[in-house]
Amino acid sequence: MELFDFNTLPLQYQAQFTWDHGVFLATRKTTNHIINLYHVRKFFIEVYFSKKNEAVDMICSFTNMDQLNPYIDQIDIGDL
């Protein structure tokens, strides 16, 4: 699946695809969310889990390596 195709999926299918095919890389926390970072083929996926609702709130996908900056101390991107 390519990034464009992934982005056209409904949230529940994006989440299922991520859990089925994604490689977990790191976690970070904000006031309202626990954000898990995954790598799938040629792109990255952030899954935003709401602390309040205890459910996936949002999923963001990207290819720009600059967006990995919040995780840079946790992951080795040398092979990606």
Side-chain angles (χ1 to χ4, degrees):
M1 179 174 302
E2 298 296 324
L3 179 63
F4 175 81
D5 300 319
F6 179 82
N7 287 335
T8 62
L9 294 173
L11 181 68
Q12 66 193 39
Y13 293 110
Q14 288 180 343
Q16 191 62 55
F17 179 84
T18 302
W19 292 317
D20 289 346
H21 302 285
V23 175
F24 174 78
L25 297 177
T27 296
R28 65 184 174 100
K29 296 179 182 178
T30 65
T31 303
N32 299 317
H33 292 95
I34 297 169
I35 307 164
N36 291 326
L37 176 68
Y38 296 85
H39 182 251
V40 178
R41 299 183 182 123
K42 299 177 185 176
F43 58 96
F44 297 93
I45 301 167
E46 288 181 315
V47 178
Y48 286 71
F49 185 79
S50 169
K51 292 178 182 178
K52 180 180 178 183
N53 300 330
E54 297 184 357
V56 174
D57 248 0
M58 177 174 58
I59 295 180
C60 297
S61 56
F62 58 91
T63 57
N64 184 338
M65 298 289 259
D66 291 338
Q67 290 179 264
L68 295 175
N69 286 339
Y71 306 98
I72 208 69
D73 293 338
Q74 299 179 54
I75 60 173
D76 175 11
I77 59 171
D79 292 334
L80 301 178

